[in-house]
Structures are given as C-alpha cells and as structure tokens.
Amino acid sequence: MKHPFTALIMAICITFPTLADELSVKEDAPTRYVVKEGDTLWDISKLYLSSPWQWQTLWKQNPQLGDPNLIYPGDVLVLGHDAQGKPMITLAKGVKKLSPTARVVVQKSTAIPTLPAALIEPLLAFEQALSEDDLTDLPFILGANHNVKLATQGHLLYIKGDLEQYAHYGIYSVEDRYIDPDSQKTLAYEANLVGTARVLDMGNTAQGKPATVKVETAKREIKPNDILMPISQGQSFSVQFSMLRPSHPVEGEIISSDNKLREFGATTVVVLNLGRQHNVQEGHILDISKRSPKVIEGSKGPRYVEDASRLEKLSSSIGELFSTSSSKNNAVWNMPEEKIGELMIFKVYDKVSYALVTSALQPIRIGDSVSIN
C-alpha cells in the first residue's frame, strides 16, 4: 500500500494539556478545513487539539458521523459547538458549485491513514517479532549449491521444510531477543529480512528431500539456519485505526528501538514489553515516563548517586536491599517519575508491540516506562 505521506510533521513536539481528559481546542484552529491528499488523521488532529489522541473524543460528540477514522480527501471539516457549548467537528462532503445548482461529489479516494506510513512501513517490511513456537515451525536454510558459509544473489539454497511451488519467500536472520527487564524471560525474537527467494523445488521433508530456492535479492549475506516466510506473511498492517487511551491500567517499558541508539526522540519506532496478553491494541496512546535521579542524603548533604562516596552508595544499596522507606533517618530518596513524551502502538504481537514515539520533551532511553498517567 502506497500513499504520499508528509512524514516530517510527526517530528513536531506536542504540548501536553494540564488536564489529560479535558478537551481543549486550539485558539488558532481553522473553522473549516478541506482534507487533502497526503494528510493523515494525526496531522489534522494537531490542527485542532494540543493532544491529538483526543480526536476520538471530539468526534464522539458529533452524532452525524459513524466512523471518525474514515475521512477522505475532499471532505470539508467544520468546527462548531453543540447545545452544551462543547466543541465538535461536523463533516460536510465536498460540494462543487455548478451554476445554477450544486452537485455533491461522491468520494472514491482511499480514506486517509492515521499515521504517516512512511515512518513505520520500513520496519514492518523488514523486521518481525517471532515467538519460539513460530521459529520451531518455520523452514530454514540447510546449505547452498556452493560450499560457502555466506550465500548471496543467484545462489541456490536447500531448505528443510515443505514450500509452495514457485512461490516467493522472504529470508530472515534471527539476530536478537526481546527480553523482559523484570523476569529476564525472552518475549520474542527479532527477525530481520536479509533477502528474497523463489521456490524451484517444493521438497518433501517426509522423504528426506530438501526444498530448493533461488536467491533473487540479497540485502546482505545469507547463512545456514536463516528462516523463510512467505513474502506477504506479517508484512500487511492497517494504516487506519482509532487513536484512544486504554480503558484499563497499562504498565510496561521500552525494551528496544529500531535505530539501536542509546537515546532517541520523536518519530522513533520502539518495542514495548506489552502485547495481546496485556490487552493492548493498535491505536492505544501511552505516556512515556522517566524516573528522576535518585538522591542520597549523607553527611555532606543531598547528592545524586553518581556523585556520592563509596560509603554513601553502600548505604543506598543496603537500604534498597531491606526495602527501607525514605524518611529523615533514611539516606536513600527514590524520586518520582515524570512524563517526558507520548507514543502510539501500531502493531501488536502476543508479548511485545511496536510503537511510534509521537512526542518527546527530552531524550528517551531504553528502560523508560510507559503507562497511563
């Protein structure tokens, strides 16, 4: 699926409202707006609201519309107020004036997406989060038609597994694990696309005959034990979904990022230790929080842990070991968490999910928590 998206708009930081549930329309919001090709629901929301995820609330106050997520190029959005004075958006379908009458234009375009897919499509096209059961059932490379450890374009590969004749497959390298920071258990395996291949012989595992594929493209070297998946499997994803806050408590952490950097900001794709098992879904908006630096109150007064002496750090460790609470007799002060950004989940697996950082007030790191503040 291809759309002309304006990805750079996503890099603009969002001002957080003082009251998260209070709907406040921007003073400079347009009274009328014509939806254009290339718009996303997120872009339009930011024209009207300080926190775009509240768009669903603005539409809920409008009985004229059944689905607030299906907006088309040419639609005219009109800002007004209901009988109680609450802001609301009404939709006037595109009208062309033809003298002496008017004709309603029937919309045939594709509905605008929620997020700029130009930002998230590359990750979804080249990376998958696979469970251990997935890996057990998938076909994998045994070797090539040349005695090489690293195969490349044009090589024939022999596969353990029954494949579909003449079908195209993606070749994936399983290179990393997504680890839960609390339990230290593996939540999923990160699989990156390294090439594509076409099936020449479907093989027969029961008879001990490997399948044969020919490498058609290679992003990098292909090696034994790399796995194969149908080229379309896991590549499709929705670009149209509701932006909303979860209706239940959600607590998790950022456990990885697509750029593998120590710090990152808005428009970065991150991995969360939250999945279907935690009742999260595409479109959920979560807050990103960071714990403020811990302070040790020692003989020289309050100091940050990194600036404290060895003895003070030892006291801090002992205090944590015995779970002592902060008081005037306790040297350890654990500071609260503060909100530093927001993210939107756009693809969910069983135990992990991918999310797009939509705003950042300061650099975000692996280990920062996500929740509903």
Side-chain angles (χ1 to χ4, degrees):
M1 183 180 298
K2 294 182 179 179
H3 301 276
F5 301 104
T6 51
L8 290 179
I9 293 189
M10 292 295 297
I12 303 175
C13 289
I14 303 168
T15 303
F16 299 118
T18 303
L19 297 176
D21 295 328
E22 182 180 346
L23 187 63
S24 178
V25 176
K26 291 181 177 179
E27 293 183 1
D28 59 349
T31 54
R32 290 174 66 87
Y33 180 77
V34 180
V35 180
K36 304 184 296 295
E37 290 282 353
D39 278 344
T40 67
L41 189 58
W42 192 268
D43 299 333
I44 295 174
S45 301
K46 285 164 62 177
L47 292 176
Y48 290 92
L49 300 168
S50 297
S51 208
W53 62 265
Q54 291 182 304
W55 181 255
Q56 190 82 2
T57 305
L58 190 63
W59 282 99
K60 283 182 179 178
Q61 297 173 3
N62 181 6
Q64 178 186 350
L65 300 171
D67 192 337
N69 303 301
L70 298 182
I71 303 174
Y72 299 83
D75 284 348
V76 180
L77 308 180
V78 181
L79 176 63
H81 296 81
D82 62 14
Q84 287 73 41
K86 296 180 180 179
M88 63 183 293
I89 293 290
T90 57
L91 176 64
K93 288 291 184 180
V95 175
K96 290 184 178 179
K97 294 183 178 180
L98 300 175
S99 181
T101 59
R103 176 173 63 89
V104 175
V105 178
V106 179
Q107 299 293 342
K108 296 183 179 180
S109 306
T110 301
I112 65 171
T114 305
L115 295 172
L119 292 178
I120 60 178
E121 190 171 13
L123 181 78
L124 291 177
F126 302 130
E127 184 177 312
Q128 303 297 323
L130 303 177
S131 68
E132 193 162 352
D133 289 339
D134 292 332
L135 295 176
T136 301
D137 298 334
L138 288 172
F140 62 90
I141 297 173
L142 296 169
N145 61 328
H146 297 285
N147 187 9
V148 294
K149 294 182 179 179
L150 302 174
T152 186
Q153 188 170 346
H155 282 177
L156 298 181
L157 303 177
Y158 302 114
I159 312 300
K160 182 180 180 180
D162 299 331
L163 307 181
E164 183 181 346
Q165 188 70 28
Y166 306 123
H168 291 265
Y169 283 76
I171 305 171
Y172 289 82
S173 175
V174 180
E175 301 173 349
D176 204 355
R177 297 183 299 163
Y178 296 134
I179 305 295
D180 184 82
D182 296 324
S183 67
Q184 293 300 305
K185 292 182 178 179
T186 299
L187 302 177
Y189 293 85
E190 178 185 327
N192 294 288
L193 186 72
V194 295
T196 61
R198 184 171 66 90
V199 178
L200 301 181
D201 189 323
M202 59 193 300
N204 190 320
T205 305
Q207 297 179 6
K209 180 183 178 183
T212 303
V213 303
K214 182 177 181 179
V215 179
E216 294 191 325
T217 62
K219 295 180 59 184
R220 61 178 195 248
E221 293 84 357
I222 299 166
K223 61 185 184 299
N225 219 42
D226 284 350
I227 60 176
L228 277 74
M229 288 192 291
I231 199 67
S232 61
Q233 184 175 328
Q235 307 301 311
S236 61
F237 62 98
S238 174
V239 293
Q240 295 160 344
F241 43 81
S242 300
M243 297 183 293
L244 70 163
R245 289 284 197 183
S247 58
H248 55 279
V250 174
E251 292 185 359
E253 289 186 26
I254 297 174
I255 60 174
S256 184
S257 68
D258 65 327
N259 57 24
K260 309 300 181 184
L261 297 178
R262 184 169 177 264
E263 295 184 338
F264 39 86
T267 73
T268 301
V269 173
V270 297
V271 183
L272 311 178
N273 63 339
L274 299 170
R276 296 189 188 96
Q277 296 183 358
H278 307 88
N279 296 319
V280 297
Q281 65 186 51
E282 285 85 356
H284 272 169
I285 302 289
L286 300 178
D287 298 313
I288 306 170
S289 299
K290 185 186 298 290
R291 185 167 297 281
S292 298
K294 183 185 299 183
V295 171
I296 296 177
E297 186 180 7
S299 58
K300 298 182 179 179
R303 287 193 289 176
Y304 294 118
V305 171
E306 56 267 28
D307 299 327
S309 66
R310 289 184 179 181
L311 179 59
E312 290 170 330
K313 290 179 180 178
L314 178 61
S315 300
S316 170
S317 300
I318 294 174
E320 289 184 338
L321 181 63
F322 291 97
S323 301
T324 55
S325 59
S326 294
S327 68
K328 64 181 180 180
N329 297 320
N330 186 2
V332 183
W333 292 88
N334 294 307
M335 299 308 181
E337 291 189 344
E338 301 294 342
K339 179 176 176 178
I340 60 171
E342 288 182 349
L343 55 76
M344 174 185 280
I345 295 173
F346 64 84
K347 185 154 188 177
V348 180
Y349 295 90
D350 286 340
K351 298 180 181 180
V352 300
S353 56
Y354 291 152
L356 183 69
V357 177
T358 55
S359 64
L361 299 179
Q362 65 183 70
I364 296 168
R365 294 185 177 185
I366 303 299
D368 286 345
S369 61
V370 294
S371 61
I372 310 171
N373 289 340

